[in-house]
Amino acid sequence: MNHIVLGYDGSDFSVQALDWALDEAELRKLPLTLTHAWQWPYGQAEEEAKAHLRKAAEHVLWHGAECARATSSGVPVETDLYEGPAAQRLVELSSGAALVVVGSRGLSALPRAVVGSVAGYVAAHAECPVIVVRGAGPLPASANPGPIVVAEKGPDASIMEFALDEAAMRQVPLATTEDVTAWAARHPEVRILPGDDHDAATLVVVGRRRAARAGAANFLLQHAPCPVAVVTEGRSDR
């Protein structure tokens, strides 16, 4: 778990996800891997036709990597070009990643029934935490960023550790309706706020079991006003 993985397809949604992934890489002092998946969508094809599509995919990935290198403060950036479904590749790469970041639209290869998108599928099946960044275009800079919100009843240690780490790295409070005294002692610098209001949050954190089901987590992934982190319960993601 020594790098951040970003699903990148050149869309406005993946540009916003790139901003978030670079922040994570800088805060965690980890390299960033941009992955772009492509596949011929029309059945059998001549190799020449597929070569043109691959060349276009290479350009999308190159452009994303160049943008990342130009806007970061020295984050090492690697690339991964994959022929096949985007969701499959992101789940594969999650096994060796500290974090996967993906936009809330774009990377369209799955029916919307699967929590709405590739992002939803990856959030439900990845082996590391996943942050789904909602919206299109560059992330707006906030002079007064909101708290990290734990939207989970009875969260376990892995969820709380992730949320507290994010709050500590970003120097923002943590908001929850739960008693987190035992976990908060590990991060005395993080201010704990009562409540779980999502409207002003910097990031909402939920457990993967909840995200794998329809209902509240499905709504969060599609409608939350901020990025949503999905964390596996019952394991440490450090």
Side-chain angles (χ1 to χ4, degrees):
M1 298 190 293
N2 60 356
H3 66 296
I4 308 293
V5 171
L6 168 70
Y8 185 83
D9 67 356
S11 67
D12 286 346
F13 301 96
S14 64
V15 169
Q16 189 170 76
L18 174 59
D19 282 354
W20 189 279
L22 282 171
D23 276 354
E24 292 286 346
E26 290 175 359
L27 290 168
R28 295 166 182 257
K29 297 179 171 54
L30 291 176
L32 175 65
T33 297
L34 273 69
T35 183
H36 177 56
W38 69 281
Q39 55 185 332
W40 183 259
Y42 307 116
Q44 296 295 322
E46 296 182 1
E47 287 304 314
E48 182 178 357
K50 291 180 67 175
H52 284 299
L53 187 59
R54 179 186 174 88
K55 196 71 176 176
E58 289 174 348
H59 178 75
V60 167
L61 187 58
W62 172 84
H63 183 263
E66 287 302 295
C67 288
R69 295 184 181 110
T71 57
S72 73
S73 56
V75 171
V77 177
E78 300 175 353
T79 58
D80 174 78
L81 185 66
Y82 178 74
E83 183 178 358
Q88 176 180 316
R89 186 55 176 164
L90 287 164
V91 171
E92 287 175 356
L93 292 176
S94 73
S95 64
L99 180 70
V100 170
V101 181
V102 64
S104 59
R105 294 291 184 272
L107 297 171
S108 52
L110 291 181
R112 293 187 59 80
V114 186
V115 198
S117 64
V118 167
Y121 182 87
V122 175
H125 294 89
E127 296 184 33
C128 68
V130 175
I131 293 183
V132 179
V133 182
R134 291 192 39 73
L139 280 172
S142 174
N144 187 27
I148 306 297
V149 174
V150 179
E152 191 79 22
K153 300 299 182 184
D156 73 358
S158 57
I159 295 170
M160 291 309 308
E161 286 174 6
F162 181 89
L164 283 163
D165 283 349
E166 284 288 324
M169 287 188 298
R170 296 179 179 278
Q171 299 181 355
V172 297
L174 182 138
T176 178
T177 59
E178 303 294 310
D179 180 2
V180 295
T181 305
W183 294 299
R186 299 180 57 179
H187 282 292
E189 75 278 21
V190 175
R191 186 160 57 102
I192 307 299
L193 302 177
D196 59 359
D197 183 9
H198 304 162
D199 291 340
T202 289
L203 176 71
V204 173
V205 182
V206 296
R208 180 150 290 130
R209 283 194 292 268
R210 185 181 177 197
R213 301 192 300 267
N218 185 18
F219 181 85
L220 276 175
L221 289 173
Q222 295 191 26
H223 301 289
C226 65
V228 177
V230 181
V231 181
T232 301
E233 300 92 337
R235 59 172 283 186
S236 172
D237 291 294
R238 291 173 180 267

